[in-house]
Short mmCIF file of all heavy atoms in Angstrom, two decimals:
data_model
loop_
_atom_site.label_atom_id
_atom_site.label_comp_id
_atom_site.label_asym_id
_atom_site.label_seq_id
_atom_site.Cartn_x
_atom_site.Cartn_y
_atom_site.Cartn_z
N SER A 992 54.30 88.84 68.16
CA SER A 992 53.68 89.95 67.47
C SER A 992 52.20 89.68 67.21
O SER A 992 51.82 88.60 66.80
CB SER A 992 54.39 90.20 66.14
OG SER A 992 53.74 91.25 65.45
N ARG A 993 51.37 90.69 67.46
CA ARG A 993 49.95 90.59 67.15
C ARG A 993 49.66 91.26 65.83
O ARG A 993 48.54 91.27 65.35
CB ARG A 993 49.13 91.29 68.25
CG ARG A 993 49.28 90.67 69.60
CD ARG A 993 48.46 91.46 70.62
NE ARG A 993 48.63 92.88 70.52
CZ ARG A 993 49.33 93.64 71.35
NH1 ARG A 993 49.93 93.10 72.36
NH2 ARG A 993 49.42 94.93 71.18
N ALA A 994 50.67 91.87 65.25
CA ALA A 994 50.47 92.64 64.01
C ALA A 994 50.78 91.81 62.79
O ALA A 994 51.67 90.97 62.80
CB ALA A 994 51.37 93.88 64.03
N TYR A 995 50.06 92.06 61.75
CA TYR A 995 50.33 91.43 60.47
C TYR A 995 49.88 92.42 59.40
O TYR A 995 48.95 93.19 59.61
CB TYR A 995 49.59 90.10 60.33
CG TYR A 995 49.99 89.36 59.08
CD1 TYR A 995 51.26 88.82 58.95
CD2 TYR A 995 49.11 89.22 58.03
CE1 TYR A 995 51.64 88.15 57.80
CE2 TYR A 995 49.47 88.55 56.88
CZ TYR A 995 50.74 88.02 56.77
OH TYR A 995 51.12 87.37 55.62
N THR A 996 50.51 92.38 58.28
CA THR A 996 50.17 93.31 57.22
C THR A 996 49.93 92.55 55.93
O THR A 996 50.50 91.48 55.73
CB THR A 996 51.29 94.37 57.04
OG1 THR A 996 50.88 95.27 56.01
CG2 THR A 996 52.61 93.73 56.67
N ILE A 997 49.11 93.11 55.09
CA ILE A 997 48.81 92.43 53.83
C ILE A 997 49.71 92.91 52.70
O ILE A 997 49.65 92.38 51.61
CB ILE A 997 47.32 92.60 53.43
CG1 ILE A 997 46.97 94.08 53.31
CG2 ILE A 997 46.44 91.88 54.43
CD1 ILE A 997 45.59 94.33 52.73
N GLY A 998 50.53 93.90 52.95
CA GLY A 998 51.43 94.34 51.89
C GLY A 998 51.91 95.76 52.06
O GLY A 998 51.66 96.40 53.06
N ASP A 999 52.60 96.24 51.04
CA ASP A 999 53.23 97.54 51.13
C ASP A 999 52.43 98.66 50.49
O ASP A 999 52.90 99.78 50.38
CB ASP A 999 54.63 97.48 50.50
CG ASP A 999 54.60 97.12 49.03
OD1 ASP A 999 53.56 96.66 48.55
OD2 ASP A 999 55.64 97.29 48.37
N LYS A 1000 51.23 98.40 50.06
CA LYS A 1000 50.41 99.42 49.42
C LYS A 1000 49.32 99.91 50.37
O LYS A 1000 48.71 99.13 51.07
CB LYS A 1000 49.73 98.87 48.16
CG LYS A 1000 50.70 98.29 47.15
CD LYS A 1000 51.52 99.37 46.49
CE LYS A 1000 52.36 98.81 45.38
NZ LYS A 1000 53.76 98.80 45.62
N GLY A 1001 49.11 101.21 50.39
CA GLY A 1001 48.03 101.78 51.19
C GLY A 1001 48.33 101.76 52.67
O GLY A 1001 49.46 101.72 53.09
N GLY A 1002 47.28 101.79 53.47
CA GLY A 1002 47.43 101.81 54.91
C GLY A 1002 47.78 103.20 55.41
O GLY A 1002 48.05 104.12 54.64
N ALA A 1003 47.80 103.34 56.71
CA ALA A 1003 48.06 104.65 57.33
C ALA A 1003 49.45 105.17 57.00
O ALA A 1003 49.64 106.37 56.83
CB ALA A 1003 47.87 104.55 58.84
N SER A 1004 50.45 104.28 56.93
CA SER A 1004 51.81 104.74 56.66
C SER A 1004 52.17 104.68 55.18
O SER A 1004 53.31 104.95 54.82
CB SER A 1004 52.81 103.91 57.47
OG SER A 1004 52.79 102.57 57.04
N MET A 1005 51.20 104.30 54.32
CA MET A 1005 51.41 104.23 52.87
C MET A 1005 52.64 103.37 52.52
O MET A 1005 53.39 103.69 51.61
CB MET A 1005 51.56 105.64 52.29
CG MET A 1005 50.33 106.52 52.50
SD MET A 1005 48.81 105.79 51.89
CE MET A 1005 49.08 105.88 50.15
N GLY A 1006 52.86 102.30 53.27
CA GLY A 1006 53.95 101.38 52.98
C GLY A 1006 55.31 101.84 53.47
O GLY A 1006 56.31 101.16 53.25
N TYR A 1007 55.38 102.96 54.17
CA TYR A 1007 56.65 103.55 54.60
C TYR A 1007 57.50 102.58 55.42
O TYR A 1007 58.70 102.49 55.23
CB TYR A 1007 56.37 104.82 55.38
CG TYR A 1007 57.59 105.54 55.86
CD1 TYR A 1007 58.39 106.26 54.98
CD2 TYR A 1007 57.97 105.48 57.19
CE1 TYR A 1007 59.53 106.91 55.42
CE2 TYR A 1007 59.10 106.13 57.65
CZ TYR A 1007 59.87 106.84 56.75
OH TYR A 1007 60.99 107.48 57.19
N PHE A 1008 56.89 101.84 56.36
CA PHE A 1008 57.63 100.95 57.24
C PHE A 1008 57.67 99.51 56.75
O PHE A 1008 58.28 98.66 57.37
CB PHE A 1008 57.00 100.95 58.65
CG PHE A 1008 57.05 102.28 59.33
CD1 PHE A 1008 55.89 102.98 59.59
CD2 PHE A 1008 58.26 102.81 59.74
CE1 PHE A 1008 55.94 104.20 60.24
CE2 PHE A 1008 58.32 104.02 60.39
CZ PHE A 1008 57.16 104.72 60.64
N TYR A 1009 57.00 99.21 55.66
CA TYR A 1009 56.78 97.83 55.26
C TYR A 1009 58.06 97.02 55.09
O TYR A 1009 58.26 96.00 55.77
CB TYR A 1009 55.94 97.76 53.98
CG TYR A 1009 55.70 96.34 53.55
CD1 TYR A 1009 54.79 95.55 54.23
CD2 TYR A 1009 56.40 95.79 52.49
CE1 TYR A 1009 54.58 94.23 53.85
CE2 TYR A 1009 56.19 94.48 52.10
CZ TYR A 1009 55.28 93.71 52.79
OH TYR A 1009 55.09 92.41 52.43
N ASN A 1010 58.93 97.40 54.18
CA ASN A 1010 60.10 96.58 53.88
C ASN A 1010 61.01 96.38 55.08
O ASN A 1010 61.50 95.27 55.31
CB ASN A 1010 60.90 97.17 52.72
CG ASN A 1010 60.25 96.89 51.39
OD1 ASN A 1010 59.56 95.88 51.22
ND2 ASN A 1010 60.43 97.78 50.44
N GLU A 1011 61.26 97.42 55.83
CA GLU A 1011 62.21 97.33 56.93
C GLU A 1011 61.64 96.65 58.16
O GLU A 1011 62.34 95.89 58.83
CB GLU A 1011 62.71 98.72 57.30
CG GLU A 1011 63.83 98.70 58.30
CD GLU A 1011 64.45 100.08 58.49
OE1 GLU A 1011 64.08 101.03 57.79
OE2 GLU A 1011 65.31 100.19 59.37
N HIS A 1012 60.39 96.90 58.48
CA HIS A 1012 59.85 96.43 59.76
C HIS A 1012 58.72 95.41 59.67
O HIS A 1012 58.60 94.56 60.53
CB HIS A 1012 59.37 97.62 60.59
CG HIS A 1012 60.45 98.60 60.91
ND1 HIS A 1012 61.44 98.34 61.81
CD2 HIS A 1012 60.71 99.84 60.43
CE1 HIS A 1012 62.26 99.36 61.90
NE2 HIS A 1012 61.84 100.29 61.06
N LEU A 1013 57.87 95.52 58.68
CA LEU A 1013 56.67 94.69 58.65
C LEU A 1013 56.80 93.44 57.79
O LEU A 1013 56.21 92.40 58.11
CB LEU A 1013 55.47 95.52 58.20
CG LEU A 1013 55.18 96.75 59.06
CD1 LEU A 1013 54.03 97.55 58.47
CD2 LEU A 1013 54.89 96.36 60.49
N LYS A 1014 57.54 93.52 56.72
CA LYS A 1014 57.66 92.38 55.81
C LYS A 1014 58.19 91.11 56.49
O LYS A 1014 57.72 90.01 56.20
CB LYS A 1014 58.56 92.76 54.63
CG LYS A 1014 58.62 91.73 53.53
CD LYS A 1014 59.46 92.26 52.37
CE LYS A 1014 59.49 91.27 51.22
NZ LYS A 1014 60.30 91.81 50.11
N PRO A 1015 59.14 91.23 57.45
CA PRO A 1015 59.67 90.01 58.09
C PRO A 1015 58.69 89.32 59.06
O PRO A 1015 58.95 88.20 59.47
CB PRO A 1015 60.90 90.50 58.87
CG PRO A 1015 61.20 91.85 58.33
CD PRO A 1015 59.93 92.40 57.81
N ILE A 1016 57.59 89.94 59.42
CA ILE A 1016 56.66 89.34 60.36
C ILE A 1016 56.02 88.11 59.74
O ILE A 1016 55.52 88.16 58.62
CB ILE A 1016 55.57 90.35 60.79
CG1 ILE A 1016 56.19 91.50 61.57
CG2 ILE A 1016 54.50 89.66 61.63
CD1 ILE A 1016 55.21 92.63 61.88
N LYS A 1017 56.05 87.02 60.47
CA LYS A 1017 55.47 85.76 60.00
C LYS A 1017 54.33 85.37 60.94
O LYS A 1017 54.42 85.53 62.14
CB LYS A 1017 56.51 84.64 59.99
CG LYS A 1017 57.74 84.94 59.17
CD LYS A 1017 57.40 85.02 57.70
CE LYS A 1017 58.65 85.29 56.89
NZ LYS A 1017 58.45 86.16 55.78
N LEU A 1018 53.28 84.83 60.37
CA LEU A 1018 52.16 84.34 61.17
C LEU A 1018 52.54 83.04 61.85
O LEU A 1018 53.26 82.21 61.30
CB LEU A 1018 50.93 84.11 60.29
CG LEU A 1018 50.22 85.36 59.78
CD1 LEU A 1018 49.08 84.96 58.84
CD2 LEU A 1018 49.69 86.19 60.92
N ASN A 1019 52.02 82.85 63.06
CA ASN A 1019 52.21 81.61 63.79
C ASN A 1019 51.52 80.46 63.06
O ASN A 1019 50.39 80.59 62.61
CB ASN A 1019 51.63 81.76 65.21
CG ASN A 1019 51.77 80.49 66.00
OD1 ASN A 1019 52.77 79.80 65.88
ND2 ASN A 1019 50.78 80.20 66.81
N MET A 1088 61.22 100.31 64.73
CA MET A 1088 60.21 101.18 64.14
C MET A 1088 59.88 102.26 65.17
O MET A 1088 59.48 101.95 66.29
CB MET A 1088 58.97 100.35 63.81
CG MET A 1088 57.97 101.02 62.96
SD MET A 1088 56.79 99.76 62.47
CE MET A 1088 55.68 100.74 61.52
N ARG A 1097 55.22 103.31 69.95
CA ARG A 1097 54.80 101.98 69.49
C ARG A 1097 55.30 100.92 70.46
O ARG A 1097 56.45 100.91 70.83
CB ARG A 1097 55.36 101.71 68.09
CG ARG A 1097 54.93 100.35 67.53
CD ARG A 1097 55.41 100.16 66.12
NE ARG A 1097 54.76 101.05 65.19
CZ ARG A 1097 53.61 100.80 64.56
NH1 ARG A 1097 52.99 99.67 64.78
NH2 ARG A 1097 53.11 101.66 63.72
#
Side-chain angles (χ1 to χ4, degrees):
S992 178
R993 298 178 314 254
Y995 187 69
T996 182
I997 58 172
D999 62 346
K1000 304 290 187 249
S1004 65
M1005 299 306 290
Y1007 181 74
F1008 296 113
Y1009 180 75
N1010 283 331
E1011 188 171 355
H1012 299 288
L1013 302 176
K1014 188 176 182 179
I1016 295 173
K1017 303 293 181 218
L1018 288 176
N1019 178 37
M1088 192 169 179
R1097 181 176 292 272

